[in-house]
Amino acid sequence: MTNSGATLFGLTATDVGTLLAALATFAVLMALYTATTVRNPMGRRVKALNERREQLKSGIIISTAKRRTKITHQSDTTDRMRAFLSSMKVLQDDQLKDAQKKLAQAGIRSKEWAVAVIFSRMVLPIVVGGTAAFLIYGVELWPDWSAFKKFMVFGGALLLSYKAPDLYVDNMVTKRANAIRKGVPDALDLLVICAEAGLTVDAAFARVARELGSAYPELGEEFQLTSIELSFLTERRTAFENFAERVKLDALRGVVTTMIQTEKYGTPLASALRILSAEFRHERMMRAEEKAARLPAIMTVPLILFILPTLFVVILGPAACSISEAFR
């Protein structure tokens, strides 16, 4: 017995309804799972901060060589990478330090990943370049390509594979800096309130981190870590300088400079922070006005390609139909 009803891609109306019901059920289950498994974004950060507190207590930060030895020998995989890079004479202290600084700016506290980044810079071009050379010149997967095009594709694969780790880390650094920039004026306002209330600098940083941890997790993490370093480091200037190095943001460098000057000369902290907060809020307003001013130029291309043709069809369509009927 055959079904003579209408079908869509070989599926009857009953089959289509069953599939839609299954998709709706799956969407409801996913929504329930997402709603019931909400995680606190500060949990992992608090754990990392506690580890940093224990490191400061144990005096790991005293010797750079000892710190680097401790960091780079935390896992067997990192040890193998380091041994391989050392055997190839491509692992330098300056290069490792720059990679660790970038990772810290990206929010990655485990500095052993610096060895992995340097290792990937050397391995990825070999793997990707070898694969591209095999596909282009070995099996000639694209025989119609000219010699210049093949060479350009091969060179582009090598260059992109070499720059891929740095591009990925730089993207993380930029996103984190933008997220931190949004909360700097609010953080400075809270610092002013804490300073006027009589709290010390490390207590004020801890209070700001606790208050802004939910709204700005990245900024709260940095303030909490700075508060921990202020409590345990022998020189408070070092804690502020570490704060400026961990965040690639010129605005926070000005805040750090102000904090160092107030610690050194004993100038009023609340008045200086109030001026900085007003400047940052003015800068944020100017950035928003700049984006609003760019909006007409950005909307020009979608307006010409998508909105105006539809508008012309709606307006001129009836008139064109009437003219064609009149000529008939």
Side-chain angles (χ1 to χ4, degrees), residues 290-317:
E290 181 183 356
K291 290 183 179 180
R294 283 205 316 264
L295 188 60
I298 296 174
M299 287 296 296
T300 301
V301 176
L303 181 67
I304 295 174
L305 293 180
F306 302 107
I307 299 177
L308 289 181
T310 306
L311 191 62
F312 289 154
V313 170
V314 172
I315 295 175
L316 301 179

PDB file of all heavy atoms in Angstrom, residues 290-317:
ATOM      1  N   GLU A 290      32.623  57.848  18.987  1.00  0.00           N
ATOM      2  CA  GLU A 290      33.342  57.495  17.767  1.00  0.00           C
ATOM      3  C   GLU A 290      32.674  56.334  17.049  1.00  0.00           C
ATOM      4  O   GLU A 290      32.531  56.336  15.819  1.00  0.00           O
ATOM      5  CB  GLU A 290      34.792  57.160  18.111  1.00  0.00           C
ATOM      6  CG  GLU A 290      35.644  56.799  16.904  1.00  0.00           C
ATOM      7  CD  GLU A 290      37.047  56.405  17.302  1.00  0.00           C
ATOM      8  OE1 GLU A 290      37.359  56.497  18.507  1.00  0.00           O
ATOM      9  OE2 GLU A 290      37.820  56.011  16.419  1.00  0.00           O
ATOM     10  N   LYS A 291      32.263  55.315  17.803  1.00  0.00           N
ATOM     11  CA  LYS A 291      31.565  54.189  17.184  1.00  0.00           C
ATOM     12  C   LYS A 291      30.236  54.633  16.583  1.00  0.00           C
ATOM     13  O   LYS A 291      29.845  54.173  15.500  1.00  0.00           O
ATOM     14  CB  LYS A 291      31.330  53.088  18.223  1.00  0.00           C
ATOM     15  CG  LYS A 291      32.595  52.369  18.649  1.00  0.00           C
ATOM     16  CD  LYS A 291      32.273  51.248  19.624  1.00  0.00           C
ATOM     17  CE  LYS A 291      33.527  50.506  20.033  1.00  0.00           C
ATOM     18  NZ  LYS A 291      33.245  49.398  20.994  1.00  0.00           N
ATOM     19  N   ALA A 292      29.518  55.535  17.285  1.00  0.00           N
ATOM     20  CA  ALA A 292      28.256  56.028  16.744  1.00  0.00           C
ATOM     21  C   ALA A 292      28.471  56.846  15.480  1.00  0.00           C
ATOM     22  O   ALA A 292      27.652  56.800  14.551  1.00  0.00           O
ATOM     23  CB  ALA A 292      27.536  56.866  17.798  1.00  0.00           C
ATOM     24  N   ALA A 293      29.566  57.599  15.406  1.00  0.00           N
ATOM     25  CA  ALA A 293      29.851  58.381  14.202  1.00  0.00           C
ATOM     26  C   ALA A 293      30.232  57.491  13.026  1.00  0.00           C
ATOM     27  O   ALA A 293      29.991  57.862  11.864  1.00  0.00           O
ATOM     28  CB  ALA A 293      30.959  59.381  14.496  1.00  0.00           C
ATOM     29  N   ARG A 294      30.829  56.325  13.289  1.00  0.00           N
ATOM     30  CA  ARG A 294      31.184  55.408  12.207  1.00  0.00           C
ATOM     31  C   ARG A 294      30.005  54.610  11.697  1.00  0.00           C
ATOM     32  O   ARG A 294      30.104  53.988  10.635  1.00  0.00           O
ATOM     33  CB  ARG A 294      32.254  54.426  12.694  1.00  0.00           C
ATOM     34  CG  ARG A 294      33.638  55.000  12.761  1.00  0.00           C
ATOM     35  CD  ARG A 294      34.697  53.897  12.632  1.00  0.00           C
ATOM     36  NE  ARG A 294      34.377  52.728  13.428  1.00  0.00           N
ATOM     37  CZ  ARG A 294      34.867  52.502  14.645  1.00  0.00           C
ATOM     38  NH1 ARG A 294      35.668  53.398  15.201  1.00  0.00           N
ATOM     39  NH2 ARG A 294      34.552  51.413  15.307  1.00  0.00           N
ATOM     40  N   LEU A 295      28.927  54.601  12.427  1.00  0.00           N
ATOM     41  CA  LEU A 295      27.793  53.751  12.066  1.00  0.00           C
ATOM     42  C   LEU A 295      27.190  54.089  10.700  1.00  0.00           C
ATOM     43  O   LEU A 295      26.895  53.161   9.929  1.00  0.00           O
ATOM     44  CB  LEU A 295      26.728  53.836  13.158  1.00  0.00           C
ATOM     45  CG  LEU A 295      25.556  52.862  13.036  1.00  0.00           C
ATOM     46  CD1 LEU A 295      26.062  51.425  13.075  1.00  0.00           C
ATOM     47  CD2 LEU A 295      24.554  53.094  14.158  1.00  0.00           C
ATOM     48  N   PRO A 296      26.978  55.362  10.324  1.00  0.00           N
ATOM     49  CA  PRO A 296      26.415  55.633   8.982  1.00  0.00           C
ATOM     50  C   PRO A 296      27.292  55.108   7.854  1.00  0.00           C
ATOM     51  O   PRO A 296      26.780  54.567   6.874  1.00  0.00           O
ATOM     52  CB  PRO A 296      26.314  57.170   8.955  1.00  0.00           C
ATOM     53  CG  PRO A 296      26.202  57.571  10.375  1.00  0.00           C
ATOM     54  CD  PRO A 296      27.053  56.606  11.129  1.00  0.00           C
ATOM     55  N   ALA A 297      28.613  55.248   7.993  1.00  0.00           N
ATOM     56  CA  ALA A 297      29.495  54.734   6.943  1.00  0.00           C
ATOM     57  C   ALA A 297      29.458  53.209   6.869  1.00  0.00           C
ATOM     58  O   ALA A 297      29.521  52.619   5.781  1.00  0.00           O
ATOM     59  CB  ALA A 297      30.921  55.220   7.191  1.00  0.00           C
ATOM     60  N   ILE A 298      29.332  52.563   8.013  1.00  0.00           N
ATOM     61  CA  ILE A 298      29.269  51.104   8.020  1.00  0.00           C
ATOM     62  C   ILE A 298      27.951  50.610   7.420  1.00  0.00           C
ATOM     63  O   ILE A 298      27.911  49.573   6.746  1.00  0.00           O
ATOM     64  CB  ILE A 298      29.460  50.584   9.460  1.00  0.00           C
ATOM     65  CG1 ILE A 298      30.862  50.939   9.972  1.00  0.00           C
ATOM     66  CG2 ILE A 298      29.256  49.078   9.532  1.00  0.00           C
ATOM     67  CD1 ILE A 298      31.091  50.591  11.426  1.00  0.00           C
ATOM     68  N   MET A 299      26.874  51.338   7.671  1.00  0.00           N
ATOM     69  CA  MET A 299      25.559  50.910   7.180  1.00  0.00           C
ATOM     70  C   MET A 299      25.339  51.216   5.701  1.00  0.00           C
ATOM     71  O   MET A 299      24.337  50.805   5.138  1.00  0.00           O
ATOM     72  CB  MET A 299      24.468  51.601   7.999  1.00  0.00           C
ATOM     73  CG  MET A 299      24.319  51.068   9.409  1.00  0.00           C
ATOM     74  SD  MET A 299      23.801  49.345   9.427  1.00  0.00           S
ATOM     75  CE  MET A 299      22.182  49.478   8.677  1.00  0.00           C
ATOM     76  N   THR A 300      26.276  51.921   5.065  1.00  0.00           N
ATOM     77  CA  THR A 300      26.084  52.277   3.653  1.00  0.00           C
ATOM     78  C   THR A 300      26.044  51.053   2.753  1.00  0.00           C
ATOM     79  O   THR A 300      25.163  50.923   1.885  1.00  0.00           O
ATOM     80  CB  THR A 300      27.207  53.234   3.209  1.00  0.00           C
ATOM     81  OG1 THR A 300      27.186  54.395   4.029  1.00  0.00           O
ATOM     82  CG2 THR A 300      27.022  53.634   1.754  1.00  0.00           C
ATOM     83  N   VAL A 301      26.995  50.143   2.943  1.00  0.00           N
ATOM     84  CA  VAL A 301      27.057  48.953   2.076  1.00  0.00           C
ATOM     85  C   VAL A 301      25.834  48.054   2.252  1.00  0.00           C
ATOM     86  O   VAL A 301      25.199  47.667   1.253  1.00  0.00           O
ATOM     87  CB  VAL A 301      28.363  48.182   2.342  1.00  0.00           C
ATOM     88  CG1 VAL A 301      28.397  46.893   1.528  1.00  0.00           C
ATOM     89  CG2 VAL A 301      29.566  49.052   1.998  1.00  0.00           C
ATOM     90  N   PRO A 302      25.419  47.669   3.485  1.00  0.00           N
ATOM     91  CA  PRO A 302      24.172  46.884   3.596  1.00  0.00           C
ATOM     92  C   PRO A 302      22.956  47.626   3.061  1.00  0.00           C
ATOM     93  O   PRO A 302      22.046  47.008   2.500  1.00  0.00           O
ATOM     94  CB  PRO A 302      24.045  46.639   5.107  1.00  0.00           C
ATOM     95  CG  PRO A 302      25.407  46.795   5.644  1.00  0.00           C
ATOM     96  CD  PRO A 302      26.057  47.830   4.799  1.00  0.00           C
ATOM     97  N   LEU A 303      22.932  48.955   3.198  1.00  0.00           N
ATOM     98  CA  LEU A 303      21.800  49.723   2.687  1.00  0.00           C
ATOM     99  C   LEU A 303      21.715  49.636   1.173  1.00  0.00           C
ATOM    100  O   LEU A 303      20.623  49.450   0.610  1.00  0.00           O
ATOM    101  CB  LEU A 303      21.945  51.179   3.136  1.00  0.00           C
ATOM    102  CG  LEU A 303      20.826  52.142   2.712  1.00  0.00           C
ATOM    103  CD1 LEU A 303      19.530  51.776   3.406  1.00  0.00           C
ATOM    104  CD2 LEU A 303      21.216  53.576   3.039  1.00  0.00           C
ATOM    105  N   ILE A 304      22.854  49.740   0.500  1.00  0.00           N
ATOM    106  CA  ILE A 304      22.852  49.692  -0.965  1.00  0.00           C
ATOM    107  C   ILE A 304      22.570  48.288  -1.477  1.00  0.00           C
ATOM    108  O   ILE A 304      21.842  48.085  -2.460  1.00  0.00           O
ATOM    109  CB  ILE A 304      24.193  50.218  -1.507  1.00  0.00           C
ATOM    110  CG1 ILE A 304      24.352  51.697  -1.154  1.00  0.00           C
ATOM    111  CG2 ILE A 304      24.303  50.021  -3.001  1.00  0.00           C
ATOM    112  CD1 ILE A 304      25.707  52.270  -1.512  1.00  0.00           C
ATOM    113  N   LEU A 305      23.127  47.282  -0.834  1.00  0.00           N
ATOM    114  CA  LEU A 305      23.024  45.917  -1.356  1.00  0.00           C
ATOM    115  C   LEU A 305      21.712  45.227  -1.003  1.00  0.00           C
ATOM    116  O   LEU A 305      21.196  44.439  -1.811  1.00  0.00           O
ATOM    117  CB  LEU A 305      24.195  45.079  -0.826  1.00  0.00           C
ATOM    118  CG  LEU A 305      25.594  45.468  -1.320  1.00  0.00           C
ATOM    119  CD1 LEU A 305      26.637  44.556  -0.704  1.00  0.00           C
ATOM    120  CD2 LEU A 305      25.669  45.412  -2.842  1.00  0.00           C
ATOM    121  N   PHE A 306      21.144  45.499   0.157  1.00  0.00           N
ATOM    122  CA  PHE A 306      20.009  44.706   0.627  1.00  0.00           C
ATOM    123  C   PHE A 306      18.723  45.516   0.798  1.00  0.00           C
ATOM    124  O   PHE A 306      17.646  45.035   0.465  1.00  0.00           O
ATOM    125  CB  PHE A 306      20.360  44.032   1.970  1.00  0.00           C
ATOM    126  CG  PHE A 306      21.569  43.161   1.892  1.00  0.00           C
ATOM    127  CD1 PHE A 306      22.763  43.569   2.469  1.00  0.00           C
ATOM    128  CD2 PHE A 306      21.540  41.945   1.235  1.00  0.00           C
ATOM    129  CE1 PHE A 306      23.887  42.775   2.399  1.00  0.00           C
ATOM    130  CE2 PHE A 306      22.662  41.141   1.160  1.00  0.00           C
ATOM    131  CZ  PHE A 306      23.843  41.555   1.736  1.00  0.00           C
ATOM    132  N   ILE A 307      18.830  46.728   1.323  1.00  0.00           N
ATOM    133  CA  ILE A 307      17.615  47.473   1.664  1.00  0.00           C
ATOM    134  C   ILE A 307      17.060  48.217   0.459  1.00  0.00           C
ATOM    135  O   ILE A 307      15.860  48.128   0.149  1.00  0.00           O
ATOM    136  CB  ILE A 307      17.905  48.448   2.829  1.00  0.00           C
ATOM    137  CG1 ILE A 307      18.353  47.656   4.059  1.00  0.00           C
ATOM    138  CG2 ILE A 307      16.664  49.278   3.149  1.00  0.00           C
ATOM    139  CD1 ILE A 307      18.737  48.517   5.236  1.00  0.00           C
ATOM    140  N   LEU A 308      17.903  48.949  -0.279  1.00  0.00           N
ATOM    141  CA  LEU A 308      17.418  49.739  -1.410  1.00  0.00           C
ATOM    142  C   LEU A 308      16.823  48.890  -2.539  1.00  0.00           C
ATOM    143  O   LEU A 308      15.775  49.248  -3.075  1.00  0.00           O
ATOM    144  CB  LEU A 308      18.548  50.628  -1.941  1.00  0.00           C
ATOM    145  CG  LEU A 308      18.951  51.803  -1.033  1.00  0.00           C
ATOM    146  CD1 LEU A 308      20.048  52.623  -1.685  1.00  0.00           C
ATOM    147  CD2 LEU A 308      17.752  52.682  -0.736  1.00  0.00           C
ATOM    148  N   PRO A 309      17.450  47.759  -2.951  1.00  0.00           N
ATOM    149  CA  PRO A 309      16.793  46.944  -3.991  1.00  0.00           C
ATOM    150  C   PRO A 309      15.408  46.462  -3.585  1.00  0.00           C
ATOM    151  O   PRO A 309      14.469  46.491  -4.399  1.00  0.00           O
ATOM    152  CB  PRO A 309      17.764  45.772  -4.184  1.00  0.00           C
ATOM    153  CG  PRO A 309      19.085  46.313  -3.771  1.00  0.00           C
ATOM    154  CD  PRO A 309      18.804  47.248  -2.644  1.00  0.00           C
ATOM    155  N   THR A 310      15.257  46.030  -2.340  1.00  0.00           N
ATOM    156  CA  THR A 310      13.939  45.592  -1.872  1.00  0.00           C
ATOM    157  C   THR A 310      12.943  46.750  -1.880  1.00  0.00           C
ATOM    158  O   THR A 310      11.775  46.594  -2.265  1.00  0.00           O
ATOM    159  CB  THR A 310      14.055  45.010  -0.459  1.00  0.00           C
ATOM    160  OG1 THR A 310      15.050  43.994  -0.446  1.00  0.00           O
ATOM    161  CG2 THR A 310      12.729  44.434  -0.008  1.00  0.00           C
ATOM    162  N   LEU A 311      13.405  47.919  -1.471  1.00  0.00           N
ATOM    163  CA  LEU A 311      12.535  49.092  -1.458  1.00  0.00           C
ATOM    164  C   LEU A 311      12.109  49.482  -2.876  1.00  0.00           C
ATOM    165  O   LEU A 311      10.940  49.821  -3.116  1.00  0.00           O
ATOM    166  CB  LEU A 311      13.262  50.257  -0.779  1.00  0.00           C
ATOM    167  CG  LEU A 311      12.435  51.497  -0.444  1.00  0.00           C
ATOM    168  CD1 LEU A 311      11.325  51.146   0.544  1.00  0.00           C
ATOM    169  CD2 LEU A 311      13.321  52.587   0.138  1.00  0.00           C
ATOM    170  N   PHE A 312      13.031  49.403  -3.837  1.00  0.00           N
ATOM    171  CA  PHE A 312      12.682  49.710  -5.222  1.00  0.00           C
ATOM    172  C   PHE A 312      11.674  48.721  -5.774  1.00  0.00           C
ATOM    173  O   PHE A 312      10.752  49.092  -6.520  1.00  0.00           O
ATOM    174  CB  PHE A 312      13.950  49.711  -6.085  1.00  0.00           C
ATOM    175  CG  PHE A 312      14.851  50.877  -5.825  1.00  0.00           C
ATOM    176  CD1 PHE A 312      16.215  50.791  -6.071  1.00  0.00           C
ATOM    177  CD2 PHE A 312      14.342  52.057  -5.304  1.00  0.00           C
ATOM    178  CE1 PHE A 312      17.047  51.864  -5.823  1.00  0.00           C
ATOM    179  CE2 PHE A 312      15.176  53.144  -5.049  1.00  0.00           C
ATOM    180  CZ  PHE A 312      16.524  53.042  -5.304  1.00  0.00           C
ATOM    181  N   VAL A 313      11.832  47.442  -5.443  1.00  0.00           N
ATOM    182  CA  VAL A 313      10.882  46.440  -5.933  1.00  0.00           C
ATOM    183  C   VAL A 313       9.494  46.702  -5.372  1.00  0.00           C
ATOM    184  O   VAL A 313       8.480  46.615  -6.081  1.00  0.00           O
ATOM    185  CB  VAL A 313      11.384  45.028  -5.568  1.00  0.00           C
ATOM    186  CG1 VAL A 313      10.300  43.991  -5.842  1.00  0.00           C
ATOM    187  CG2 VAL A 313      12.633  44.690  -6.351  1.00  0.00           C
ATOM    188  N   VAL A 314       9.421  47.029  -4.080  1.00  0.00           N
ATOM    189  CA  VAL A 314       8.121  47.272  -3.458  1.00  0.00           C
ATOM    190  C   VAL A 314       7.453  48.524  -4.031  1.00  0.00           C
ATOM    191  O   VAL A 314       6.239  48.552  -4.297  1.00  0.00           O
ATOM    192  CB  VAL A 314       8.285  47.389  -1.926  1.00  0.00           C
ATOM    193  CG1 VAL A 314       6.980  47.831  -1.276  1.00  0.00           C
ATOM    194  CG2 VAL A 314       8.739  46.052  -1.352  1.00  0.00           C
ATOM    195  N   ILE A 315       8.237  49.575  -4.272  1.00  0.00           N
ATOM    196  CA  ILE A 315       7.654  50.839  -4.733  1.00  0.00           C
ATOM    197  C   ILE A 315       7.386  50.820  -6.233  1.00  0.00           C
ATOM    198  O   ILE A 315       6.301  51.198  -6.706  1.00  0.00           O
ATOM    199  CB  ILE A 315       8.584  52.013  -4.361  1.00  0.00           C
ATOM    200  CG1 ILE A 315       8.681  52.151  -2.833  1.00  0.00           C
ATOM    201  CG2 ILE A 315       8.095  53.318  -4.983  1.00  0.00           C
ATOM    202  CD1 ILE A 315       9.659  53.211  -2.375  1.00  0.00           C
ATOM    203  N   LEU A 316       8.353  50.376  -7.027  1.00  0.00           N
ATOM    204  CA  LEU A 316       8.233  50.433  -8.479  1.00  0.00           C
ATOM    205  C   LEU A 316       7.590  49.188  -9.081  1.00  0.00           C
ATOM    206  O   LEU A 316       7.266  49.197 -10.270  1.00  0.00           O
ATOM    207  CB  LEU A 316       9.611  50.637  -9.104  1.00  0.00           C
ATOM    208  CG  LEU A 316      10.361  51.909  -8.677  1.00  0.00           C
ATOM    209  CD1 LEU A 316      11.714  51.981  -9.354  1.00  0.00           C
ATOM    210  CD2 LEU A 316       9.530  53.149  -9.011  1.00  0.00           C
ATOM    211  N   GLY A 317       7.451  48.130  -8.273  1.00  0.00           N
ATOM    212  CA  GLY A 317       6.858  46.905  -8.827  1.00  0.00           C
ATOM    213  C   GLY A 317       5.452  47.096  -9.354  1.00  0.00           C
ATOM    214  O   GLY A 317       5.154  46.747 -10.512  1.00  0.00           O
TER     215      GLY A 317
END
